[in-house]
Amino acid sequence: MSPVSHGTSESRGEGRRLLRFEPHLPHAYETIWPALTTPDGLRGWLAEADVLERRLGGAVTLRGADGGPALSGQVTAWDVERVVEYTLTGLGRIRFHLEPVGTDSTVIRFSHEYAPNQPGPGLGRPGSEGPGPAGPGSPRPGSAEGRAADADHLAGWHRRFELLEAALEGHPAAPPARADQRLAALRASYTPPAAAA
């Protein structure tokens, strides 16, 4: 069974969404922290870190491992081995809060606050698991477009946390393996059935 349970999505006011996940990983927080806060660690499951100043207020630039567009911003929270938050232009705010469970297990309390027209965890790569930048206006929450954007973001982060677990087990994802059939199945699981007419 996957250590990643389904995430949730909620409205945060006009034009903002908040996703939450709480993966419970069978690894000590000292093992997980470098996967969230170092270029080598991030490369194994999320993105290339072209710039990563590991301190509060530090610069950060992430891009898809296949050479996708770079997204830059700042480290907006930093509590060593406990909390890291990146706020990236074009992606929004992503926050990881580690909570140890005993000595060899950790819950990651994760949140991603974003505008629905922003890319998901694929960092905007064509064909990635997140939607690319949209045209004028954002999808309305609850609309078909809004539900599709939520499903894309939820499925993308769910898959990313599965890739994190694999990386922690010594099997980092190669770029071609990051878009796969598992992602399509996850997206379907997050897509609510159409309302009956």
Side-chain angles (χ1 to χ4, degrees):
M1 181 173 145
S2 171
V4 183
S5 58
H6 266 62
T8 62
S9 172
E10 63 188 68
S11 175
R12 296 296 276 191
E14 189 64 33
R16 302 297 295 172
R17 302 294 291 164
L18 181 69
L19 304 185
R20 295 182 192 276
F21 280 89
E22 291 190 1
H24 186 166
L25 303 177
H27 298 276
Y29 70 92
E30 299 95 341
T31 302
I32 296 173
W33 181 253
L36 306 176
T37 62
T38 67
D40 285 342
L42 288 168
R43 182 180 304 115
W45 70 283
L46 181 61
E48 294 288 339
D50 293 340
V51 176
L52 181 54
E53 296 176 351
R54 301 175 70 228
R55 59 177 172 77
L56 183 61
V60 61
T61 300
L62 302 180
R63 66 179 165 80
D66 63 354
L71 301 175
S72 296
Q74 282 192 314
V75 177
T76 48
W78 183 267
D79 184 357
V80 176
E81 295 187 347
R82 183 173 165 88
V83 176
V84 63
E85 178 181 279
Y86 304 117
T87 301
L88 299 165
T89 301
L91 183 65
R93 180 180 56 84
I94 57 175
R95 182 181 184 91
F96 304 89
H97 182 165
L98 303 182
E99 292 188 10
V101 179
T103 59
D104 59 357
S105 184
T106 305
V107 171
I108 301 174
R109 301 202 188 285
F110 169 80
S111 62
H112 177 198
E113 186 173 353
Y114 67 99
N117 65 338
Q118 291 177 318
L123 299 176
R125 298 190 319 264
S128 71
E129 53 270 27
S138 297
R140 289 186 330 273
S143 69
E145 296 85 6
R147 289 190 305 273
D150 273 356
D152 284 343
H153 283 76
L154 288 163
W157 280 114
H158 193 127
R159 184 63 180 133
R160 289 294 177 175
F161 285 120
E162 290 177 346
L163 293 173
L164 171 60
E165 169 64 7
L168 292 169
E169 294 293 332
H171 308 288
R178 292 185 176 187
D180 56 26
Q181 292 180 342
R182 174 71 176 138
L183 186 62
L186 285 167
R187 188 179 190 292
S189 76
Y190 282 108
T191 303

